[in-house]
Amino acid sequence: MAKRGGGEDLEILETLGDFTSKENWDKFFTLRGAGDSFEWYAEWPALRDPFVAELSSFSAADTPIQILVPGCGSSRVSEYLYDAGFRQITNIDFSKVVVSDMLRRYVRSRPEMRWRVMDMTDMQFADEFFDAILDKGGLDALMEPELGSKLGKKYLKEVKRVLKFGGRYLCLTLAESHVLGLLFSEFRFGWDTSIYAIPQEPCNKPTFQTFMVTVVKEKLGALNPVRSLFDHSAVNCNAKQVHALNNAVEDENKIRSNYSTGADILYSLEDLQLGAIGNLKELLPGRRCQLILDEQGSSLYTYKTVLLDARQQPDPFLYHCGVFIVPKTRAYEWLFTSEEGQWVVVESSKAARLIMVFLDSRHTHASMDDIQKDLSPLVKNLAPGNPEDEARIPFMMANDGVKQRNILQNVVSTITGPIIVEDVIYEDVDGDNTGLTSLDTKTFRLLTFERSLGLVQSEALLTREPKSNPVESVGKKNSLSSKSRKKGGKKRSDSDKLIDGSRSILKVDHSCLASSYHSGIVSGFALIASALEIAASSKEKVRTIIVGLGAGLLPMFLHGCLPFLEIEVVELDPLILDLARKYFGFTEDKQLKVHIGDGIQFIKNANIVPSPSDTKHKVDDSKTVSRSHDGKVKKTLANGNSNAEIKIVIIDADSSDMSSGLACPPADFVEESFLLCVKKFLAEGGLFIINLVSRSPAIREMIVSRMKVVFGHLFSLELEEDVNEILFASSSEAFIHVDNSPEAWTQLKNIMKVHLPERQMLMQKIKCLK
């Protein structure tokens, strides 16, 4: 760092070496002797006008302004300010030698002036105590390039703490790039910064120019450009120095301009601590910002993070602050990537402030314990309130609550992508909504697509049977490929599995529904119970189309429960059919067929082909992953119309684009053109059922509005424990029980070969939307 002084002074300065060493400064002031003074950078005549002008801005204050001079040394600036009328001056220095000398010098002549031995990076003053801070080279001394910016940051943090709102920090500096870099970044948000050139004698050779950076404490979050308030042409002693300063100001103002646009700014933790979005210790309803969360030298990883202060909450918050970890496999879902979805998470978390942390490939090999330990000190910096009153910050995570899992198959489909078949035991199933017989341990078989791990495609209850008992191997002849069989040998179907080598077998139970939304779909059949009852009694077939096979659990249950249904399942991915056969005991017969193809095109063709035939329909593939279920039956109605036909269409397909906000069904299945196609297919009546999964109220409302326009009647069943909503639509009153009467449910139960448990009877929860 360059210094200004006489030849003898410079020789003594050479003895300092480290400008941050207390011992070195004690030695320096001892060598100079008592009663001597030393000025950094500029003498009082050059400083009088800019200093007095800045301090006079407080002239309207009711009480004398409080001035702090950190790193005062033996300068006479405080003496001159005192004589100019500014009496409340506190001088600090960590050199006991110089403070003792200055106290003896001024204790009688200027009694109101105070002197304290104190480290300027750790001041012992109350918050917002001073109106002005005069720094005559102190920051430059702390910012020796080889020592880094640690001490400089500590000092400026203290400056900001002890300075009152509206107060001024006047920093005399040589404006070296590393010093300006720290000054500009530390005072970027909520401060007004100006730069002046201190007058100096004309010179014939380059010497260092002294500048005064004036920073005024304003409202947190405010962004003001840095202003250079001096005549650049008049500062000609060191053109290189001035040119570097101008470049630094220009670069900083570009940064501030980018921040001021407010569009998807990615802040740093330091930015937030500096006040980029206001006071972090206060909750600001509706505040949201994105940041990179890390701390150099202390954190193991960096984390993409979103900070959200709850917009409104009718009930008291459970937590003042919470952390929600989004695993890599779910980071692309609408619920976590969209702003609207993130607010849904905030509301459900019951936290006044939610810190949403996204994991990615950088965290692949880290355990969750390591992640939590690494995050804990970081998120404390973002918590509202005072650290002394700090409450425990809970960590939450989007997971599936699985206690134990056994992966049976992990395969990649060219259409669906990675697919997982696994047997799981949940942490706690006592509160489930399946209504199944209580077992000591319930084991479920899941079919999951990796593209949407937050959604279980299919969930089947497994029952245990003794190994010695004859096994009705409904699917033992089916496997993923003929190559999986050993020549001349027999292989047990993977839908039947031995448990831990014991003499018992796990088998999919097709007489019950483990998924509550499947129960909801079946419950909706009560809306057309009268028509179904007539079909059953007249032994007529009801054409039923299901788009989306999954594990085949819904069509298998319907097939066994309502055997008069003529079920056609449309599945785009042939591998899904293979998995359903191999692992879930799915089988086909004359009343239950599967078509590999596109569901939308299948229903369009069904409008041309009036009734299903034994020959399989050939359907063109498309880019949309779809699954369809459709049924058609002629019957004599109670109103005497013997020519009416009832059909059922069920859309139970997931979307390949989880970021769209619509997880089920694919968007093409709720386009008006397709809805009109379904209406045409249903013709005189029937029931159209959609399994809707969307956390976006706007998307849900758009779909409901479209369906209201196309269909004369629309009903909804919202499942409290799931995000699923089942929509039931019909264009005719001929088949619909509009009043949702208990008699309709009784009618349905009477024709069902397999009854749903009482807890799964959801007819009474179905609401009429139109």
Side-chain angles (χ1 to χ4, degrees):
M1 181 181 70
K3 288 82 183 173
R4 185 185 300 276
E8 183 180 347
D9 293 332
L10 291 175
E11 289 178 8
I12 297 177
L13 278 171
E14 292 298 328
T15 66
L16 273 170
D18 181 3
F19 285 89
T20 65
S21 168
K22 173 183 175 296
E23 291 73 19
N24 286 357
W25 279 109
D26 282 342
K27 180 180 178 181
F28 171 78
F29 289 118
T30 299
L31 289 173
R32 290 191 59 85
D36 196 10
S37 62
F38 178 77
E39 300 296 342
W40 288 78
Y41 297 166
E43 302 287 344
W44 174 249
L47 297 174
R48 178 177 51 228
D49 289 345
F51 272 16
V52 171
E54 291 292 334
L55 297 176
S56 296
S57 63
F58 298 100
S59 59
D62 297 331
T63 57
I65 65 171
Q66 294 289 337
I67 300 173
L68 173 67
V69 181
C72 60
S74 58
S75 170
R76 298 183 63 186
V77 167
S78 297
E79 170 191 337
Y80 295 127
L81 285 172
Y82 189 97
D83 295 344
F86 302 100
R87 301 299 177 88
Q88 300 300 313
I89 302 175
T90 300
N91 303 273
I92 66 171
D93 201 295
F94 66 177
S95 171
K96 185 176 180 180
V97 173
V98 74
V99 170
S100 299
D101 180 39
M102 299 299 278
L103 182 59
R104 285 192 299 269
R105 190 187 310 182
Y106 295 113
V107 65
R108 291 186 178 85
S109 60
R110 293 165 181 82
E112 295 179 59
M113 193 152 56
R114 292 174 293 276
W115 302 87
R116 299 276 299 275
V117 177
M118 189 181 298
D119 185 347
M120 61 198 292
T121 67
D122 186 18
M123 302 184 201
Q124 309 304 306
F125 299 114
D127 295 352
E128 299 185 356
F129 186 81
F130 293 101
D131 298 281
I133 299 176
L134 309 184
D135 178 351
K136 197 164 177 282
L139 178 62
D140 282 9
L142 294 174
M143 289 289 290
E144 287 292 284
E146 61 272 15
L147 299 178
S149 61
K150 183 177 180 179
L151 288 176
K153 285 184 175 181
K154 284 186 65 178
Y155 167 55
L156 293 183
K157 182 178 180 180
E158 286 292 88
V159 167
K160 290 183 285 186
R161 181 182 67 81
V162 303
L163 197 61
K164 293 179 181 178
F165 181 78
R168 294 168 182 263
Y169 171 53
L170 311 181
C171 177
L172 292 185
T173 175
L174 297 180
E176 292 175 284
S177 59
H178 63 288
V179 176
L180 289 179
L182 181 65
L183 267 173
F184 289 161
S185 62
E186 289 290 320
F187 294 105
R188 181 173 290 151
F189 304 102
W191 301 82
D192 185 66
T193 305
S194 304
I195 303 177
Y196 303 85
I198 300 301
Q200 63 184 41
E201 297 293 330
C203 53
N204 296 323
K205 59 180 181 179
T207 60
F208 286 100
Q209 170 70 49
T210 300
F211 295 93
M212 182 174 73
V213 178
T214 301
V215 187
V216 182
K217 190 174 186 177
E218 295 186 342
K219 182 180 178 181
L220 278 177
L223 267 172
N224 302 306
V226 177
R227 295 173 296 164
S228 295
L229 302 180
F230 61 90
D231 184 356
H232 293 70
S233 62
V235 182
N236 56 9
C237 289
N238 195 321
K240 185 177 180 181
Q241 182 190 14
V242 175
H243 179 70
L245 170 62
N246 290 338
N247 288 340
V249 171
E250 184 178 342
D251 292 343
E252 175 63 19
N253 284 336
K254 286 180 181 178
I255 294 174
R256 298 191 181 200
S257 177
N258 291 336
Y259 274 121
S260 64
T261 62
D264 296 326
I265 300 173
L266 194 62
Y267 294 100
S268 66
L269 174 60
E270 186 177 18
D271 287 338
L272 268 58
Q273 292 174 320
L274 294 174
I277 60 172
N279 189 350
L280 272 182
K281 296 304 175 183
E282 297 177 357
L283 290 167
L284 184 62
R287 174 165 55 185
R288 174 184 177 273
C289 76
Q290 302 179 76
L291 68 145
I292 296 297
L293 188 58
D294 68 351
E295 193 163 15
Q296 188 174 6
S298 60
S299 59
L300 298 175
Y301 305 101
T302 60
Y303 305 89
K304 181 183 176 183
T305 306
V306 180
L307 180 146
L308 305 107
D309 285 350
R311 293 184 290 192
Q312 56 183 5
Q313 185 76 31
D315 301 321
F317 294 109
L318 292 180
Y319 314 106
H320 81 297
C321 183
V323 179
F324 191 93
I325 298 177
V326 181
K328 176 187 174 183
T329 53
R330 301 193 63 184
Y332 55 86
E333 294 181 24
W334 173 89
L335 184 63
F336 308 117
T337 58
S338 71
E339 183 173 345
E340 184 181 1
Q342 290 167 3
W343 287 120
V344 172
V345 178
V346 173
E347 184 176 348
S348 63
S349 73
K350 305 297 182 183
R353 172 173 295 169
L354 190 67
I355 302 167
M356 190 175 291
V357 178
F358 293 80
L359 303 185
D360 55 35
S361 57
R362 291 171 292 187
H363 315 109
T364 301
H365 302 294
S367 69
M368 199 48 58
D369 285 342
D370 291 338
I371 294 293
Q372 186 169 339
K373 289 177 182 178
D374 196 39
L375 279 172
S376 292
L378 297 175
V379 297
K380 286 180 181 179
N381 295 315
L382 300 176
N386 297 318
E388 294 77 12
D389 303 329
E390 183 180 294
R392 185 181 70 87
I393 300 176
F395 280 74
M396 297 166 267
M397 185 172 180
N399 60 24
D400 50 14
V402 173
K403 178 181 180 181
Q404 179 181 333
R405 64 183 355 120
N406 175 33
I407 296 179
L408 306 177
Q409 180 77 55
N410 199 329
V411 64
V412 178
S413 165
T414 56
I415 297 176
T416 308
I419 303 172
I420 302 169
V421 179
E422 58 185 342
D423 288 348
V424 303
I425 298 174
Y426 290 111
E427 294 283 356
D428 180 11
V429 295
D430 293 339
D432 66 13
N433 195 36
T434 61
L436 303 171
T437 303
S438 177
L439 299 173
D440 292 338
T441 301
K442 292 179 182 178
T443 304
F444 296 86
R445 182 158 295 169
L446 309 184
L447 175 69
T448 307
F449 300 161
E450 190 171 296
R451 71 187 184 195
S452 53
L453 285 179
L455 290 176
V456 176
Q457 302 300 318
S458 298
E459 182 177 31
L461 177 69
L462 300 180
T463 57
R464 302 170 187 265
E465 293 185 358
K467 181 181 176 183
S468 57
N469 288 354
V471 177
E472 182 182 356
S473 184
V474 294
K476 69 180 181 179
K477 293 184 180 180
N478 299 317
S479 62
L480 282 178
S481 70
S482 59
K483 293 181 181 179
S484 63
R485 298 177 181 272
K486 291 185 178 180
K487 186 175 181 179
K490 292 185 178 180
K491 181 180 178 182
R492 181 183 304 277
S493 168
D494 285 331
S495 63
D496 306 329
K497 286 287 184 179
L498 296 181
I499 309 233
D500 299 330
S502 64
R503 299 187 65 81
S504 63
I505 295 172
L506 282 181
K507 188 175 182 180
V508 173
D509 186 353
H510 289 294
S511 67
C512 70
L513 294 173
S515 296
S516 58
Y517 87 90
H518 278 166
S519 301
I521 290 175
V522 175
S523 297
F525 279 38
L527 291 168
I528 55 171
S530 295
L532 293 177
E533 186 178 49
I534 294 171
S537 61
S538 61
K539 298 183 179 180
E540 295 184 0
K541 303 302 181 183
V542 175
R543 189 178 186 190
T544 304
I545 298 177
I546 302 178
V547 178
L549 175 65
L553 303 175
L554 178 61
M556 286 290 285
F557 178 84
L558 290 175
H559 183 45
C561 179
L562 301 170
F564 57 87
L565 298 183
E566 192 169 59
I567 301 173
E568 297 173 89
V569 183
V570 184
E571 172 57 53
L572 187 65
D573 191 344
L575 183 58
I576 299 298
L577 176 58
D578 289 341
L579 293 172
R581 288 169 173 166
K582 180 176 182 179
Y583 292 103
F584 294 89
F586 178 76
T587 57
E588 301 167 78
D589 58 24
K590 292 182 179 180
Q591 295 293 111
L592 175 55
K593 299 181 182 297
V594 176
H595 305 271
I596 301 300
D598 178 81
I600 292 177
Q601 189 61 46
F602 184 87
I603 291 178
K604 287 181 180 179
N605 289 351
N607 281 318
I608 301 173
V609 182
S611 61
S613 63
D614 290 338
T615 59
K616 293 186 178 180
H617 297 275
K618 293 184 178 180
V619 184
D620 295 334
D621 290 345
S622 76
K623 293 181 180 179
T624 305
V625 178
S626 58
R627 308 170 173 90
S628 78
H629 198 182
D630 178 333
K632 190 176 192 178
V633 164
K634 291 185 176 181
K635 49 185 67 90
T636 302
L637 298 176
N639 62 12
N641 184 359
S642 60
N643 295 321
E645 287 183 329
I646 184 170
K647 307 170 187 175
I648 301 171
V649 176
I650 302 173
I651 307 299
D652 185 18
D654 82 313
S655 172
S656 59
D657 182 10
M658 292 296 290
S659 65
S660 67
L662 183 61
C664 296
D668 290 346
F669 285 88
V670 290
E671 292 292 338
E672 185 176 356
S673 58
F674 177 71
L675 298 178
L676 290 171
C677 183
V678 172
K679 180 181 180 181
K680 180 180 178 182
F681 173 74
L682 294 178
E684 300 165 12
L687 191 62
F688 177 43
I689 305 173
I690 289 183
N691 173 32
L692 175 64
V693 180
S694 177
R695 295 183 183 270
S696 169
I699 292 176
R700 184 260 179 192
E701 185 58 36
M702 175 193 68
I703 293 171
V704 168
S705 298
R706 286 180 183 173
M707 295 185 70
K708 283 181 177 180
V709 170
V710 174
F711 297 95
H713 300 280
L714 185 63
F715 300 84
S716 168
L717 172 59
E718 293 188 41
L719 304 175
E720 295 178 0
E721 72 283 1
D722 291 328
V723 295
N724 302 67
E725 178 180 7
I726 314 301
L727 296 176
F728 307 91
S730 180
S731 56
S732 171
E733 292 185 5
F735 302 141
I736 294 292
H737 290 271
V738 179
D739 58 355
N740 292 353
S741 63
E743 291 78 12
W745 179 248
T746 302
Q747 281 182 297
L748 180 61
K749 287 198 296 182
N750 289 338
I751 61 175
M752 293 174 68
K753 301 299 182 183
V754 178
H755 290 168
L756 288 172
E758 289 295 325
R759 290 175 62 192
Q760 291 183 283
M761 296 179 181
L762 306 175
M763 174 69 181
Q764 68 278 10
K765 296 184 179 181
I766 297 177
K767 298 178 181 179
C768 181
L769 301 182
K770 179 184 178 182

